[in-house]
Amino acid sequence: MASFRAIEDSTPPTSEPAAINPAASLFHALGDRSRLLILQHLQLGEHKVADLTEHLGLSQSTVSKHLACLRECGLVDFRPEGRASVYTLSHPGAVVELLASAEKVLALTGDAVTLCQLRD
C-alpha cells in the first residue's frame, strides 16, 4: 500500500509505480462530484437509494452506479431492508478525516486546483 505519511528521514518514497495504484484508485473514486455528494450525505447517517436521489437531486441510476463504485472501493456498506438496501459509510471516521483534510488543502490552494489543466 502506498504511504502518504510525512517523510521524516532521508528515505525516499517507494519508486515502485505499482505501489501507488491503490491510492490512485481511491482518489479516482473520490474524483467524481456525485460520489463526493453521496459520501458527504452518508456522513449524516444511513440512507436508502430513494432517500439519496431525493436529497441530492440525482437519478436513481446515477446514485446506484456511484454506490456500486463506492462499495467496490470499500467506502460504503449496505444491508437489505425489505426490497431496498440501506447504505452507510464503511469507515465513517476515516472518511470524515479524509474529506476534512481535502477541505484544508482546498483552503490553502484556493482556486489553483480548479485551474489545473492536467486533469483527466
Side-chain angles (χ1 to χ4, degrees):
M1 178 155 98
S3 176
F4 289 104
R5 62 175 167 55
I7 299 173
E8 298 173 0
D9 58 26
S10 61
T11 306
T14 181
S15 61
E16 174 101 21
I20 202 79
N21 288 347
S25 294
L26 172 65
F27 283 105
H28 179 76
L30 297 173
D32 183 273
R33 181 183 180 279
S34 296
R35 288 193 287 269
L36 282 175
L37 285 171
I38 291 168
L39 288 174
Q40 285 182 323
H41 206 71
L42 288 175
Q43 289 181 61
L44 301 172
E46 60 185 27
H47 286 77
K48 296 177 183 175
V49 173
D51 299 332
L52 291 168
T53 60
E54 181 182 331
H55 297 161
L56 302 175
L58 301 171
S59 70
Q60 184 272 328
S61 62
T62 297
V63 170
S64 293
K65 175 183 77 169
H66 290 303
L67 283 169
C69 174
L70 294 169
R71 267 194 343 260
E72 288 175 16
C73 293
L75 296 173
V76 300
D77 287 323
F78 75 99
R79 63 177 170 76
E81 187 175 280
R83 295 186 323 165
S85 294
V86 178
Y87 289 85
T88 186
L89 294 174
S90 300
H91 310 283
V95 170
V96 168
E97 279 185 53
L98 179 61
L99 296 177
S101 293
E103 287 180 6
K104 288 178 188 174
V105 171
L106 289 170
L108 293 170
T109 61
D111 290 337
V113 71
T114 61
L115 300 174
C116 179
Q117 298 296 315
L118 300 176
R119 291 180 275 150
D120 289 327

